[in-house]
Amino acid sequence: RIRDDNAVLSDEYFIDAATDPIQKRYAQYERAHAAAESEQPETPPPVDTPTRRDDLTVYLLLPAAEEAALTQLLSTLEKHQSHATLLLTPELLESAGDGVRRAAATGNAVALCISAETADEALAQIERGNDALWRAASLRTRLVYLESADKTLRATVAGAGYCPLTVNTSDFTRSGTHWADTALKWAGRSTSVRLYLGAESGVSSALGTALSRLRAENCTIAALNEVTV
């Protein structure tokens, strides 16, 4: 501060003189910062990517009571590069040797579809089915699908050395796309799901659509065996 005999500069003058350049410099800084921000590219909003289930294996169980149905199922599976466990009755195994051999040769599994009320009946049917399977394809199986069996019967069959299958049952009265969505929903966070495709009459019409949907999700369509049961 400079003082003389004629004038004395007040403190407010010096404060105003110091404040003015500071405000100007801050205004320049704000303009430069705003310009730099405007030049940065905008970040695009996140895009939802559908979850791929390439870690999911669907173990497919298909019933067939007639040779024509078995042939159609095998053709559909081959077309979609998929495999299944075929639930075949002893009667079909005895009469459909060509279809049984084709099923075994293309990587599918055979499970004996047994309908019995007592353990003796069940074991007799299992033996009959395995004899027919051996004659047709030189194979035997321990996989058994027991229709409407109670826990006691299942336990008796398991105690005899066989593998009773426990599966989820899908109502095939709806479309194949609905069935595929059901399989994915049932799987949840699991890496595998077993699915029995309900009434035989609906399988052929919807199986191809269901397989296409699951293959599009990168799912593996496989046959159960005695290790994966």
Side-chain angles (χ1 to χ4, degrees):
R1 299 175 55 182
I2 300 174
R3 299 177 181 269
D4 59 27
D5 296 334
N6 298 320
V8 177
L9 299 178
S10 67
D11 292 340
E12 292 181 358
Y13 176 85
F14 285 97
I15 292 173
D16 291 341
T19 300
D20 186 60
I22 291 174
Q23 290 178 337
K24 288 181 178 180
R25 290 180 182 178
Y26 183 72
Q28 290 174 351
Y29 165 78
E30 285 191 323
R31 288 193 296 269
H33 185 67
E37 286 187 340
S38 64
E39 292 176 359
Q40 294 179 357
E42 294 184 359
T43 303
V47 178
D48 292 332
T49 303
T51 302
R52 306 286 285 186
R53 288 310 309 267
D54 53 354
D55 63 330
L56 177 63
T57 298
V58 178
Y59 292 109
L60 196 60
L61 289 93
L62 301 175
E66 299 179 354
E67 187 170 6
L70 175 59
T71 299
Q72 190 170 18
L73 291 177
L74 291 173
S75 296
T76 302
L77 289 168
E78 291 170 12
K79 178 181 178 181
H80 294 276
Q81 300 179 329
S82 301
H83 300 93
T85 301
L86 301 164
L87 310 182
L88 307 182
T89 64
E91 292 79 11
L92 182 59
L93 288 166
E94 291 172 341
S95 63
D98 289 342
V100 174
R101 284 186 288 274
R102 179 184 174 187
T106 51
N108 298 288
V110 173
L112 304 176
C113 185
I114 303 299
S115 179
E117 294 183 359
T118 68
D120 289 342
E121 290 177 358
L123 294 174
Q125 287 190 40
I126 291 171
E127 188 64 24
R128 176 187 171 188
N130 263 325
D131 288 345
L133 181 57
W134 179 262
R135 289 193 298 270
S138 299
L139 296 173
R140 290 186 178 274
T141 182
R142 296 197 302 130
L143 301 178
V144 179
Y145 180 72
L146 297 167
E147 294 183 309
S148 304
D150 58 23
K151 292 182 179 179
T152 301
L153 181 54
R154 291 180 183 276
T156 301
V157 171
Y162 298 100
C163 302
L165 300 177
T166 302
V167 296
N168 294 317
T169 301
S170 173
D171 180 1
F172 230 95
T173 60
R174 300 192 183 186
S175 68
T177 299
H178 170 81
W179 171 79
D181 290 341
T182 301
L184 294 170
K185 178 180 179 180
W186 279 345
R189 295 180 180 273
S190 175
T191 57
S192 68
V193 62
R194 301 179 189 180
L195 206 62
Y196 166 65
L197 301 190
E200 181 187 348
S201 60
V203 171
S204 59
S205 61
L207 179 59
T209 302
L211 293 177
S212 294
R213 171 63 193 284
L214 291 173
R215 295 288 291 179
E217 294 289 334
N218 283 358
C219 298
T220 299
I221 318 298
L224 280 171
N225 55 48
E226 294 174 9
V227 176
T228 55
V229 168

